[in-house]
Amino acid sequence: MSELEILYDHYKDTYSLSKQAQDKRNKYFLFICIIEFTLFFFVFRPNETTSILLGLLSNISNTHIALSVQVLQCFLWVILVYFSIRYCQSNLYVEKQYKYLERLEIEISSKLSDFNLNRESGNYLDKYPKALDFIHIFYTWVFPVLYVIINFIKISSEWIFKQNVVISIIDSVFCIFCFILMYLYFIEIHPRLKLKKDGQA
């Protein structure tokens, strides 16, 4: 097997792994949106939200489930932390793969006489559609900001109407973790902010 064949096989495998990671990222994003919407709905209609969720859980498990509002909210915070971790891991992995695929395309193209392989690099970015620019802004700016705002509103409401101090403290720990995670993720996906921060260090 020639060096070019080895490189191209590696390129195909890397691209396949990247696509799988993108699919997982999209699923995690959907789950986060559902959880955030539910947590936000708890702020205004805690009892109704609890009844709906317990009804869904009871139907899925075919058993009667009885949980307090506070316990159910704590459970949602745990799930939010898990999917937030998975989403950030998947998205950062995808971002790193873009750069790696570009390096592979350059290397493969250098070994070809009359073809320039740039599907994931130059060709993808050439005449980039405005709609995709808008979507990119939503994912990298709007979503992280909304994520933080909703979680701040939620944890603030828990302390304002607290009924169980211990659970409120636990929820606060999860919330702080989410803030830190999203902050680090936000810095990582915005290289200019990262460079500025490093330059000031």
Side-chain angles (χ1 to χ4, degrees):
M1 184 178 286
S2 67
E3 183 180 354
L4 178 59
E5 289 175 323
I6 294 173
L7 277 173
Y8 188 64
D9 282 344
H10 180 57
Y11 174 79
K12 289 190 295 183
D13 291 341
T14 304
Y15 179 76
S16 177
L17 290 173
S18 179
K19 293 299 291 183
Q20 291 175 18
Q22 290 177 47
D23 292 339
K24 290 180 180 179
R25 175 196 61 185
N26 295 338
K27 291 177 182 177
Y28 297 143
F29 177 79
L30 177 61
F31 290 143
I32 288 174
C33 288
I34 293 172
I35 296 168
E36 288 286 8
F37 176 80
T38 306
L39 285 172
F40 190 70
F41 204 65
F42 261 113
V43 176
F44 305 101
R45 294 287 187 273
N47 294 326
E48 292 88 335
T49 306
T50 300
S51 297
I52 293 172
L53 289 179
L54 291 180
L56 289 173
L57 291 174
S58 297
N59 289 334
I60 293 172
S61 62
N62 291 322
T63 57
H64 177 69
I65 297 176
L67 296 173
S68 68
V69 173
Q70 292 73 34
V71 172
L72 191 56
Q73 288 180 141
C74 187
F75 181 65
L76 286 174
W77 277 110
V78 173
I79 297 175
L80 177 63
V81 167
Y82 171 77
F83 282 115
S84 296
I85 292 172
R86 299 298 292 161
Y87 172 78
C88 291
Q89 286 177 329
S90 298
N91 207 27
L92 292 176
Y93 175 81
V94 169
E95 291 297 322
K96 290 185 68 175
Q97 290 307 296
Y98 282 139
K99 297 177 183 178
Y100 187 61
L101 285 168
E102 181 180 6
R103 287 176 55 194
L104 287 175
E105 288 180 345
I106 293 172
E107 185 66 25
I108 293 172
S109 296
S110 68
K111 300 182 182 303
L112 299 173
S113 58
D114 58 353
F115 184 75
N116 186 25
L117 181 65
N118 63 354
R119 178 179 61 189
E120 298 301 311
S121 52
N123 183 66
Y124 181 76
L125 295 175
D126 184 41
K127 297 179 180 179
Y128 199 69
K130 296 297 182 183
L132 293 182
D133 270 333
F134 180 76
I135 293 171
H136 179 73
I137 291 172
F138 176 81
Y139 273 111
T140 59
W141 288 95
V142 178
F143 169 68
V145 171
L146 283 177
Y147 177 95
V148 169
I149 290 174
I150 291 174
N151 289 342
F152 177 77
I153 292 173
K154 180 65 186 73
I155 200 64
S156 298
S157 71
E158 287 191 32
W159 280 105
I160 292 172
F161 304 105
K162 65 178 180 292
Q163 296 178 339
N164 188 311
V165 176
V166 175
I167 291 182
S168 294
I169 292 174
I170 294 173
D171 291 350
S172 297
V173 172
F174 290 136
C175 185
I176 291 170
F177 178 86
C178 287
F179 284 160
I180 295 172
L181 177 66
M182 192 54 63
Y183 170 75
L184 295 175
Y185 167 76
F186 188 79
I187 294 298
E188 194 65 35
I189 60 176
H190 293 285
R192 291 182 182 178
L193 296 178
K194 186 178 180 182
L195 288 173
K196 183 177 180 180
K197 180 176 180 294
D198 293 342
Q200 293 174 346

